[in-house]
Amino acid sequence: MLIDSHCHLNSDELRADADALVRRAAESGVGRMLVVGCNLENSREAVAMAHRFQENGVFAAVGVHPHEAARFSGGLPDPMLELVSDERVVAIGETGLDYYYDHSPRGVQRDVFAMHLDWAVRSKKPLVLHVRDAMDDVLSMLNGLEAERRSGLKLLFHCYSGGLEYLDAVLELGAWCALGGAVTWDRNDRLREVAARIPEDRLLFETDCPWMAPKPFRGRPNEPSYVRLVYETVAAVRGVEPAALAARIERNADAFFGWGASCV
Ligand SMILES: [Zn+2]
């Protein structure tokens, strides 16, 4: 079974085609997909899709993307916090810091990220992190948590882009790293080097569709079925059998999201 640990079937680009995309994913062997929320409405839609496509192994994450942090500077609204108790919600996110686009002021991004850290500690749900050009601040906020709170947090660096420079610090936190279509792109040897070095029990794969399409589809809308190309690329880079890698990733996803037994 293949896993797409991060997709946006709830995006404007994909929503209308969700039925076809889920069907194509199933035909390609994708047995679990995590639909990720970026704001309140979008998180609600992620939850609704997780119910609608329950038989296809679709689950949801709920949270506020750093791009949208400015809309939530006053706090996470109760309807958002309540979503986490839904049985199909297995994670909080995506949250984090994005200093590349700076769509929200950095101080506000840090405030809203801190709210998600509190929320994850309280709800005991794993956290899906979006980090772009902000590794130093994310690591210092995570390392600044009291040891007791931090030790209870499961962390996934979605679309990991910290290179080898930050990998040791991320692994020391006990975090997982997810790789997507960028690992297939020409001239991305840097990320393939990272793909070879992530310990096999901390590795996950994703599409981040509709964005980040893998090599033959680059520049076109991405979709969950394309996660297969990420698996194939990383299996070749690591010199392992694709089937063995897929089995390992399935166990990793079970360990991270805790969705193994609850599926379908
Ligand atoms: Zn995303």
Side-chain angles (χ1 to χ4, degrees):
M1 178 199 293
L2 307 183
I3 312 273
D4 184 355
S5 69
H6 193 114
C7 65
H8 296 277
L9 295 175
N10 52 345
S11 60
D12 290 344
E13 291 87 343
L14 300 185
R15 159 185 308 121
D17 295 324
D19 287 279
L21 296 173
V22 167
R23 192 181 61 243
R24 284 211 288 276
E27 287 165 2
S28 298
V30 181
R32 300 260 200 289
M33 287 160 262
L34 183 72
V35 179
V36 177
C38 295
N39 58 39
L40 176 56
E41 277 316 304
N42 189 253
S43 294
R44 280 186 172 134
E45 191 174 356
V47 176
M49 284 185 161
H51 283 275
R52 180 169 143 209
F53 298 116
Q54 180 162 351
E55 293 190 357
N56 302 93
V58 173
F59 292 83
V62 295
V64 175
H65 194 289
H67 288 348
E68 310 233 9
R71 291 173 53 199
F72 295 85
S73 56
L76 299 174
D78 285 343
M80 169 74 95
L81 299 174
E82 285 158 12
L83 288 174
V84 85
S85 57
D86 188 283
E87 61 185 11
R88 303 299 291 176
V89 173
V90 293
I92 287 173
E94 58 187 296
T95 180
L97 302 176
D98 192 316
Y99 294 173
Y100 180 81
Y101 285 108
D102 278 328
H103 285 331
S104 292
R106 293 182 179 185
V108 174
Q109 291 189 45
R110 287 191 291 271
D111 289 347
V112 174
F113 179 38
M115 294 173 203
H116 284 75
L117 293 175
D118 276 344
W119 188 17
V121 169
R122 274 187 282 116
S123 65
K124 300 189 171 61
K125 295 278 184 188
L127 205 53
V128 176
L129 302 174
H130 170 110
V131 185
R132 190 131 186 228
D133 288 357
M135 272 309 246
D136 288 326
D137 278 8
V138 165
L139 291 173
S140 82
M141 286 178 71
L142 291 169
N143 285 312
L145 292 171
E146 294 161 40
E148 191 189 336
R149 305 181 81 211
R150 196 177 77 219
S151 67
L153 268 185
K154 274 193 206 162
L155 305 165
L156 172 61
F157 284 79
H158 130 69
C159 207
Y160 176 72
S161 62
L164 290 178
E165 309 84 289
Y166 287 100
L167 188 58
D168 287 342
V170 162
L171 295 172
E172 271 166 36
L173 279 165
W176 279 253
C177 295
L179 300 176
V183 80
T184 70
W185 296 347
D186 291 336
R187 294 196 298 272
N188 209 349
D189 290 336
R190 181 173 173 262
L191 189 57
R192 283 185 284 278
E193 212 178 321
V194 170
R197 293 273 298 275
I198 297 171
E200 67 167 8
D201 61 346
R202 304 283 193 87
L203 183 61
L204 288 171
F205 298 136
E206 62 170 59
T207 58
D208 199 20
C209 62
W211 306 287
M212 309 293 284
K215 184 173 169 181
F217 305 107
R218 203 171 170 189
R220 312 219 302 261
N222 197 1
E223 61 174 76
S225 66
Y226 297 169
V227 80
R228 175 174 291 280
L229 295 158
V230 177
Y231 275 79
E232 287 170 2
T233 299
V234 176
V237 164
R238 294 171 74 98
V240 297
E241 282 298 316
L245 181 62
R248 177 75 241 188
I249 298 300
E250 187 178 338
R251 289 201 299 280
N252 292 351
D254 284 350
F256 186 78
F257 296 113
W259 60 20
S262 66
C263 164
V264 189

